[in-house]
Each structure stands twice: as structure tokens, then as C-alpha cells.
Amino acid sequence: GKFVEIRNVSKIYHTLDGETKALDDLTFDVDKGEILVIVGPSGCGKSTILSIIAGLIKPSSGEVFINSNKIDGTNKSIGYMFQNDHLFPWRTIIENVMIGLEIQNKVNDESIERVISLLDTYGLADFKDHYPNQLSGGMRQRVALIRTLAIEPNLLLLDEPFSALDYQNRLAVSDDITNILRREKKTAIMVTHDISEAISMADKVVVLSNRPARIKSIHNIELTCN
Ligand code: ADP
Ligand code: ADP
């Protein structure tokens, strides 16, 4: 059923030199376990909609419900993954993965074991005591996702997670990340300007028009080729 509901969300930014209408009346749903990808040109409002769903900024009008609850900015079970991996260079891989749990005061034998098992499942156990600069860009993105998963979020928000990677790596890493999301049965909302990335990863694609972002079309992606 519906897990995230975006209802008539609009956003106007007020600045010294006037107003920018970033979002115009967006309505869409995300089902539980679904990967929804929002695609649109740069500057059309993709980061804005993710920030609203995360509760970081308020919409000018409209509402967002997660699991039937209106969002209020205190939802700890949302995981956020950014363009750059934001790993701390002076911390080892496992120390990086533990950060979210440290912030939430949830470091204990059980959570450490869970993190080690995640690293193991996704081929990073041998690198747990390495530093980020000893890993490839793709591996670092995997670490960033595992760090996000470590807090056991029930919703993942991914903001152009592959744009820092070169084209060749991007395809492999997006495949890899999709597999992890599917195995962990996570509901995810990703934004990208790359339509082929959207089609290859998504269960559902929301296409936005140029600024202000309006919904152009919504497509269910059926993976028919094998
Ligand atoms: P995208 O993520 O698609 O690149 P954004 O959501 O970052 O788009 O931005 C959408 C529009 O809103 C842009 O015109 C941007 O300049 C404007 N905008 C974004 N954040 C702010 C802000 N904090 N204050 C004013 N304008 C903003
Ligand atoms: P992206 O396009 O990669 O999503 P941007 O470079 O548009 O990101 O925005 C980066 C940050 O700057 C965001 O936090 C956004 O809210 C803010 N921002 C973007 N445009 C403006 C603006 N015109 N005025 C103030 N803040 C802005």
C-alpha cells in the first residue's frame, strides 16, 4: 500500500531579490518497498522536494504523509544519501558506517554485529579498517549506502547519488545500489537528471517539467527483458 503520500505540494522561496516558485502542485505516492525515481532538469526543484519529504523545509502549501502520519521534521527513520559520499577521511570504513548509530546513541553489540554483517554481505568486510581514500568511488558509494542502512531507516532519500562518479562506474554502481535496495526491501525516493539511470533503477518514474517543477508524467516501469 501507500507509504509516502505527497499531496498538492508547492514551494515558493522568498529571497531578497524576489520569489522563486520551485514546486507547483505536486501529487504522487510511493508504495512500500518501491523505488521511485524523480527525474527532471537541473534546477527544477528535485532537491527541494526531497528536503520537504525529509522534513528539512516546509512546503508553502500541500501536505506530505509518511505511513499515514503528517511529517513534522522529527522522523528519525529517514535515511539521506547525497551526491558526494560525505565519508570522513580520518575515520575508517567501519567508523564511518557507525556514525548514524553514534548520533542516535545506538552503538551496542547488536548494532555492531548488524553493521559487520552488512559490510560482509556487500563485499566490504575486508575493507572495514581501511580509510575512504583507499577505496574506489563505487565502493565508497556502497559504504555511504550501508551507513544510511545502518540506522534501519524505513525510507531512503537519495539525491543524485552517482553524479560524482564517471559514466562507466555510474552504470555498475547504480546496478549495485539497486540490488542492495531490493534485497533490503527498502522504500526509496531518488532524484536524478539522468533519464536512463531513472529507467534502469526505478519501479516508478515521476517526470518533472522545468522550473517551477510540475508533474509531466508518471510511469510504472515493467522490467520485461532479462
Ligand atoms: P534541483 O535539485 O532540481 O537542481 P533545487 O530544488 O535545488 O533544484 O532548486 C529549485 C529552484 O529553487 C532553483 O531555481 C533554485 O535556485 C531555487 N532554490 C533552491 N533552494 C533555494 C533557497 N534556499 N532559496 C532560494 N531559492 C532556492
Ligand atoms: P542541486 O542543483 O545540486 O540540487 P543546488 O546547487 O541547486 O543543488 O543547491 C545547493 C543548496 O543551495 C541547496 O541547499 C539549495 O537549497 C541552496 N540554493 C539553491 N539555490 C539557491 C538560491 N537561489 N538562493 C539560496 N539558496 C539556494
mmCIF file of all heavy atoms in Angstrom, residues 13 42 47 83, ligand 2:
data_model
loop_
_atom_site.group_PDB
_atom_site.id
_atom_site.type_symbol
_atom_site.label_atom_id
_atom_site.label_comp_id
_atom_site.label_asym_id
_atom_site.label_seq_id
_atom_site.Cartn_x
_atom_site.Cartn_y
_atom_site.Cartn_z
ATOM 1 N N TYR A 13 10.209 30.000 -2.742
ATOM 2 C CA TYR A 13 11.297 30.542 -1.922
ATOM 3 C C TYR A 13 11.217 32.062 -1.970
ATOM 4 O O TYR A 13 11.065 32.644 -3.038
ATOM 5 C CB TYR A 13 12.659 30.122 -2.483
ATOM 6 C CG TYR A 13 13.023 28.673 -2.270
ATOM 7 C CD1 TYR A 13 13.025 27.771 -3.335
ATOM 8 C CD2 TYR A 13 13.410 28.216 -1.017
ATOM 9 C CE1 TYR A 13 13.387 26.450 -3.146
ATOM 10 C CE2 TYR A 13 13.779 26.890 -0.820
ATOM 11 C CZ TYR A 13 13.767 26.008 -1.888
ATOM 12 O OH TYR A 13 14.138 24.704 -1.702
ATOM 13 N N SER A 42 18.198 20.015 -14.297
ATOM 14 C CA SER A 42 18.883 20.637 -13.177
ATOM 15 C C SER A 42 18.191 21.948 -12.807
ATOM 16 O O SER A 42 17.765 22.697 -13.674
ATOM 17 C CB SER A 42 20.331 20.883 -13.585
ATOM 18 O OG SER A 42 21.038 21.356 -12.491
ATOM 19 N N SER A 47 15.888 18.711 -5.452
ATOM 20 C CA SER A 47 16.394 18.731 -4.069
ATOM 21 C C SER A 47 15.342 19.302 -3.129
ATOM 22 O O SER A 47 15.223 18.875 -1.975
ATOM 23 C CB SER A 47 17.661 19.581 -3.955
ATOM 24 O OG SER A 47 18.674 19.016 -4.724
ATOM 25 N N GLN A 83 24.950 13.391 -3.121
ATOM 26 C CA GLN A 83 25.795 13.298 -4.326
ATOM 27 C C GLN A 83 27.195 12.819 -4.006
ATOM 28 O O GLN A 83 27.740 11.958 -4.662
ATOM 29 C CB GLN A 83 25.951 14.671 -4.975
ATOM 30 C CG GLN A 83 24.659 15.373 -5.198
ATOM 31 C CD GLN A 83 24.807 16.579 -6.103
ATOM 32 O OE1 GLN A 83 25.903 16.971 -6.452
ATOM 33 N NE2 GLN A 83 23.698 17.138 -6.497
HETATM 34 P P1 ADP B 2 21.488 20.819 -6.744
HETATM 35 O O1 ADP B 2 21.195 21.535 -8.011
HETATM 36 O O2 ADP B 2 22.720 20.007 -6.804
HETATM 37 O O3 ADP B 2 20.330 20.146 -6.165
HETATM 38 P P2 ADP B 2 21.880 23.466 -5.775
HETATM 39 O O4 ADP B 2 23.278 23.821 -6.146
HETATM 40 O O5 ADP B 2 20.724 23.929 -6.568
HETATM 41 O O6 ADP B 2 21.841 21.893 -5.621
HETATM 42 O O7 ADP B 2 21.606 23.883 -4.282
HETATM 43 C C1 ADP B 2 22.505 23.611 -3.246
HETATM 44 C C2 ADP B 2 21.993 24.289 -1.987
HETATM 45 O O8 ADP B 2 21.845 25.698 -2.200
HETATM 46 C C3 ADP B 2 20.641 23.786 -1.550
HETATM 47 O O9 ADP B 2 20.609 23.685 -0.146
HETATM 48 C C4 ADP B 2 19.662 24.844 -2.029
HETATM 49 O O10 ADP B 2 18.532 24.909 -1.174
HETATM 50 C C5 ADP B 2 20.505 26.101 -1.940
HETATM 51 N N1 ADP B 2 20.130 27.062 -3.005
HETATM 52 C C6 ADP B 2 19.964 26.796 -4.309
HETATM 53 N N2 ADP B 2 19.604 27.877 -4.995
HETATM 54 C C7 ADP B 2 19.552 28.882 -4.089
HETATM 55 C C8 ADP B 2 19.222 30.276 -4.164
HETATM 56 N N3 ADP B 2 18.872 30.850 -5.310
HETATM 57 N N4 ADP B 2 19.270 31.003 -3.031
HETATM 58 C C9 ADP B 2 19.605 30.417 -1.881
HETATM 59 N N5 ADP B 2 19.918 29.121 -1.717
HETATM 60 C C10 ADP B 2 19.892 28.364 -2.826
#
